[in-house]
Amino acid sequence: MKLKEEYGDDLAVIFVEVQGADDETAEAFAWRQEWMGRGAMWTTERPVHVEGNTIPKFALLDVEGNVILSGNPLAQKKAIEEAIAEQVKRAKDAPEGTPPKVAKAWAKLAKGDVSGALAACDSLLGDGELGEAAKAARAEIEARTKARIDRGTWMIDQGLLVEAEEHLGDLAKAVKGVPELEQAVAAELERAKAPGAELDAAKDLASLLAKMRKGDPFDDKHVKSLEKLAEKHAGTKAAERAQRLVRLSQVKR
Amino acid sequence: MNRSMLLAGIPLLAGVALATKAAAGDEASYTFSKPPVDSMGVKSLAELRGKPVLIDFWGTR
């Protein structure tokens, strides 16, 4: 968790529960340990397999999704820290083998400028072999941007409207100047900000969750607040989430 | 890494042992059946390309 706090969005951290706990037990445990809301992701699915039958275990993927380290993290603490530092630095560069002229597109993307990155690719499309590299880079940059839009859509569909607005707001700045992407982001942003019961409920829940993350999330006061919120905003997705959190508070330690 | 989260040498339950080795150089490719909690909709490892990914296996017992 310290590494996640040190690197923020530059590092993805996934915690995988592997002792057979179901989703609710694992999530309740993480809440009680005050680990939730600190940027890491939590799952009971195993996205990679690591040799051995004890924990702790880890796997570290590089910026291109390749496994570069795995095993017992306690035995490789320094190696992990050094590898992450190197990968965070490498993330700002273009993928290996990218021609220097095409690398400029990746440099723009690293600064959050999707529009500039795509324009840099477009300026090289007619340039023979370089054009092929630019085309591939363009496709990858566009795919990554569309995946970010899709995540905004997912957040809205889950009732995470406060989070969606922040996510899509950042994306709107990044895609300014690319009409197709601008329109897609604007449409989702309008959905995220649409006034109504869902937005009111989402704001109330976001505020309550922020309080829950500062101390015992399942103390009586918070549980009562969750119950009241679920009642007040009955029928909304935020109310469903609040009810789920009440259930989590009842999961045995 | 927060030591309180790392339970050294805790054996896994039978039947949930971690299986094949993730060898260095292997490309990890996985699509989640549902997005991880707090992931804000991440559906696959592919979506995380462009940044390093630290996967930590832990237990609740």
Side-chain angles (χ1 to χ4, degrees):
Chain A
M1 200 63 90
K2 278 187 184 169
L3 286 167
K4 179 60 182 171
E5 286 171 352
E6 182 181 342
Y7 287 105
D9 283 344
D10 289 341
L11 171 68
V13 175
I14 306 175
F15 287 105
V16 183
E17 205 288 342
V18 293
Q19 287 183 318
D22 60 31
D23 290 347
E24 287 200 347
T25 303
E27 191 180 342
F29 186 95
W31 268 106
R32 289 202 175 95
Q33 296 296 315
E34 299 177 29
W35 295 335
M36 297 302 277
R38 293 166 70 180
M41 298 174 251
W42 303 84
T43 183
T44 53
E45 296 182 46
R46 302 177 198 203
V48 295
H49 289 276
V50 179
E51 188 177 342
N53 62 355
T54 60
I55 54 171
K57 281 288 185 288
F58 83 101
L60 180 64
L61 312 185
D62 69 9
V63 298
E64 293 181 18
N66 301 307
V67 177
I68 53 174
L69 285 175
S70 64
N72 184 336
L74 298 177
Q76 300 185 60
K77 187 170 181 284
K78 190 160 182 247
I80 292 169
E81 288 167 359
E82 286 174 356
I84 289 173
E86 186 189 326
Q87 290 301 312
V88 166
K89 204 170 149 207
R90 190 175 153 205
K92 296 175 174 39
D93 298 333
E96 259 181 60
T98 302
K101 283 188 179 177
V102 181
K104 289 180 185 173
W106 290 102
K108 292 210 178 270
L109 185 69
K111 290 179 187 168
D113 183 5
V114 171
S115 171
L118 293 176
C121 292
D122 288 345
S123 71
L124 298 168
L125 289 178
D127 200 334
E129 202 177 294
L130 206 55
E132 286 305 308
K135 190 176 165 191
R138 193 190 204 286
E140 177 65 20
I141 290 167
E142 206 167 24
R144 287 191 195 183
T145 306
K146 284 184 177 167
R148 288 173 67 189
I149 298 173
D150 287 347
R151 283 177 58 192
T153 301
W154 183 89
M155 290 180 209
I156 295 167
D157 292 344
Q158 300 300 312
L160 295 159
L161 301 180
V162 172
E163 295 82 351
E165 187 180 340
E166 187 180 337
H167 173 79
L168 291 163
D170 288 343
L171 203 41
K173 292 174 202 162
V175 303
K176 198 168 176 175
V178 185
E180 184 199 332
L181 296 175
E182 267 187 304
Q183 280 160 26
V185 173
E188 293 308 281
L189 199 46
E190 197 177 321
R191 284 182 64 213
K193 289 159 75 171
E198 287 284 359
L199 184 58
D200 292 342
K203 284 181 177 174
D204 278 358
L205 184 57
S207 173
L208 177 52
L209 288 174
K211 290 176 192 163
M212 285 172 67
R213 287 173 186 135
K214 293 175 187 173
D216 180 1
F218 297 143
D219 68 15
D220 287 346
K221 183 177 154 196
H222 288 144
V223 174
K224 284 195 174 101
S225 296
L226 285 166
E227 288 169 338
K228 277 189 189 163
L229 188 149
E231 199 182 314
K232 179 182 172 192
H233 297 292
T236 65
K237 295 187 180 84
E240 284 172 24
R241 287 171 58 217
Q243 285 168 334
R244 183 166 188 273
L245 288 164
V246 171
R247 283 201 308 277
L248 291 186
S249 75
Q250 293 158 359
V251 170
K252 283 183 189 169
R253 289 171 191 265
Chain B
M1 206 165 299
N2 188 330
R3 278 181 177 268
S4 70
M5 300 180 64
L6 302 177
L7 310 170
I10 304 291
L12 297 176
L13 295 175
V16 296
L18 300 170
T20 47
K21 186 176 179 180
D26 288 351
E27 186 178 319
S29 162
Y30 184 85
T31 299
F32 293 97
S33 66
K34 58 183 172 185
V37 175
D38 262 15
S39 72
M40 292 298 133
V42 166
K43 296 188 178 91
S44 68
L45 289 182
E47 285 184 47
L48 298 173
R49 284 198 193 139
K51 60 177 84 175
V53 181
L54 180 62
I55 301 170
D56 189 291
F57 300 89
W58 66 292
T60 53
R61 293 170 195 262

